[in-house]
Amino acid sequence: MVLNITCIPGDGIGPEIVAQAKKVLDKVAAVYGHEMKYTDILMGGASIDVHGVPLTDEAIATAKAADAVLMGSIGGDTTTSPWYKLEPSLRPEAGLLKIRKALNLFANLRPAVLYDELAAACPLKEEISAKGFDMMIMRELTGGLYFGERKTVNENGVRKAIDTLTYDENEIRRIAIKGFDIAMKRNKKVTSVDKANVLDSSRLWRAVVEEVAKDYPEVTYEHMLVDNCAMQLVKDPAQFDVILTENMFGDILSDEASMVTGSIGMLASASLNDTKFGLYEPSHGSAPDIAGKDIANPIATILSAAMMLRYSFDLDKEADAVEAAVKQVLADGYRTGDIWSEGCEKVGCTKMGDLLVERIQ
Ligand code: NAD
């Protein structure tokens, strides 16, 4: 099979971690008889430096022509980088919002898994972490507060900022369907998270989720308020299978879930549209503090590449092989600095990529 993949190395550690993911994909191609065709595009700060904008229309066209997009990360140090002196629509993150919208990537999937070997890095009490957890956070990605109208006005000498949170029932229905579909492939449980005791958008969310749930009699579902969910994630994360939620709540809850796994460097993500097309990227940012030092953890990006094999190309065997290699490398005692603990061998970004390549058979 020929896999046409657009790559966005991006900024900071992005180019380092994408290089490792490409190495792993190349090994998968060699072992399973596929051909990887990569086309790189610029986005974020890297694009601002060359084109003056965080994402060009040509780059979007290249991404659209591919089967899937594999991304590192974009952005710089938000207090010192000159990119953040530009007006908001020209900053690195605007490129990310633009590509999500252009590719209609409305469903964001973030798995949060506690690996046995990393249980010591989990900040939760041992009696909680001992139960383990394996959840998928499904976040709506192209609506809600981050895409609503916003402005800052001056009223009688007082500055006032306004952001609007809007959802229509179609936006809610399509993400709910994705959430229930994913639950059918997992443990058949959906926790829909909202703030229905306060927000109208949440009350509509709840109503539409209930309509969609009727088509999935095998899936058990529950509603949970977002503040309770934030607590439950640290109190009893094992209760969750699929967490289905809107854009801003998902942004915050997925970061919290990432912290309870012990390392942000392990967390993959996928953003999907209605077809097989998806954009795959680690959940973490561009980590400008460690860029260029060859110490970043490439595993989140490599696990994102595994999700790409599974969801965009239906190559489940190949995805399983990548995930098994990650488990094996951890079992063999190799760690990057962010997940290192006493008794393990500390390795850099490139070395971790090499070790994973060796373990894909
Ligand atoms: P960050 O995720 O980049 O870094 C937070 C901390 O985690 C840092 O200490 C960093 O060194 C560490 N870290 C992150 N990834 C790591 C990895 N793979 N291995 C080892 N350590 C890792 O978050 P931040 O510092 O808040 O943001 C930095 C930049 O990234 C900002 O410009 C932000 O806007 C951007 N960002 C981009 C994305 C994206 O591209 N999707 C997502 C989040 C943040």
Side-chain angles (χ1 to χ4, degrees):
M1 181 176 188
V2 179
L3 290 76
N4 281 306
I5 302 165
T6 291
C7 292
I8 305 175
D11 308 315
I13 59 170
E16 301 167 51
I17 53 182
V18 168
Q20 305 316 310
K22 280 183 178 171
K23 250 167 38 182
V24 168
L25 287 173
D26 287 341
K27 179 68 183 281
V28 168
V31 172
Y32 291 89
H34 303 298
E35 189 187 341
M36 301 289 169
K37 282 195 173 163
Y38 306 113
T39 315
D40 283 6
I41 60 171
L42 296 177
M43 194 168 108
S47 175
I48 295 171
D49 289 347
V50 176
H51 301 294
V53 290
L55 184 68
T56 63
D57 292 342
E58 292 73 32
I60 292 179
T62 304
K64 274 187 176 164
D67 299 320
V69 178
L70 179 66
M71 182 175 136
S73 190
I74 51 104
D77 186 315
T78 48
T79 47
T80 59
S81 165
W83 298 328
Y84 296 92
K85 304 238 173 347
L86 299 167
E87 64 160 281
S89 68
L90 291 177
R91 291 179 194 171
E93 286 70 16
L96 195 54
L97 298 184
K98 191 172 169 187
I99 201 166
R100 284 176 183 165
K101 201 82 184 169
L103 301 175
N104 197 22
L105 303 171
F106 65 84
N108 182 239
L109 276 70
R110 291 200 195 185
V113 181
L114 184 65
Y115 290 90
D116 287 348
E117 291 81 6
L118 299 183
C122 174
L124 302 178
K125 282 187 195 150
E126 211 183 315
E127 69 251 34
I128 299 172
S129 62
K131 286 202 266 172
F133 55 84
D134 179 350
M135 70 184 100
M136 181 70 84
I137 303 200
M138 292 274 315
R139 164 189 171 195
E140 201 289 327
L141 206 56
T142 54
L145 199 60
Y146 297 174
F147 288 92
E149 256 179 64
R150 73 186 91 249
K151 61 181 173 187
T152 304
V153 293
N154 195 310
E155 279 182 0
N156 305 322
V158 178
R159 286 173 297 161
K160 180 172 165 183
I162 302 158
D163 294 289
T164 35
L165 198 179
T166 313
Y167 270 111
D168 71 37
E169 60 177 310
N170 297 326
E171 290 173 305
I172 301 169
R173 188 168 292 108
R174 63 183 184 176
I175 183 81
I177 290 170
K178 280 264 182 212
F180 279 81
D181 281 345
I182 298 276
M184 284 297 287
K185 294 186 186 185
R186 295 174 47 95
N187 292 321
K188 300 191 173 66
K189 182 180 174 194
V190 169
T191 304
S192 174
V193 174
D194 60 40
K195 188 70 182 168
N197 52 344
V198 180
L199 301 175
D200 259 20
S201 56
S202 282
R203 285 190 273 271
L204 181 62
W205 181 278
R206 207 172 259 221
V208 174
V209 167
E210 287 187 2
E211 288 163 21
V212 170
K214 291 195 179 105
D215 294 331
Y216 297 84
E218 286 177 58
V219 178
T220 51
Y221 76 98
E222 62 183 349
H223 300 289
M224 192 178 277
L225 294 175
V226 61
D227 37 355
N228 184 27
C229 185
M231 285 191 287
Q232 295 299 326
L233 275 172
V234 291
K235 206 172 145 210
D236 182 17
Q239 71 182 285
F240 295 114
D241 179 25
V242 174
I243 291 181
L244 170 66
T245 192
E246 59 99 81
N247 203 343
M248 181 178 62
F249 298 159
D251 188 8
I252 298 165
L253 293 176
S254 57
D255 269 14
E256 185 187 358
S258 75
M259 272 321 294
V260 295
T261 63
S263 172
I264 198 159
M266 298 290 297
L267 287 168
S269 92
S271 303
L272 310 176
N273 66 16
D274 267 331
T275 69
K276 289 272 170 205
F277 187 91
L279 182 146
Y280 299 84
E281 57 171 325
S283 296
H284 58 72
S286 60
D289 52 332
I290 58 166
K293 296 182 180 163
D294 194 31
I295 56 171
N297 187 349
I299 294 180
T301 314
I302 288 164
L303 289 173
S304 304
M307 290 180 86
M308 178 179 76
L309 294 172
R310 196 182 300 286
Y311 294 113
S312 283
F313 297 104
D314 282 325
L315 296 174
D316 287 347
K317 232 178 345 110
E318 290 80 343
D320 289 345
V322 175
E323 289 167 3
V326 169
K327 286 202 179 98
Q328 191 58 51
V329 94
L330 295 175
D332 291 343
Y334 296 105
R335 305 279 191 274
T336 44
D338 56 316
I339 51 172
W340 180 83
S341 59
E342 207 61 49
C344 295
E345 183 172 338
K346 196 185 281 188
V347 296
C349 182
T350 310
K351 177 75 178 169
M352 181 55 93
D354 293 341
L355 291 165
L356 288 165
V357 165
E358 278 169 22
R359 282 160 183 75
I360 290 167
Q361 301 301 337

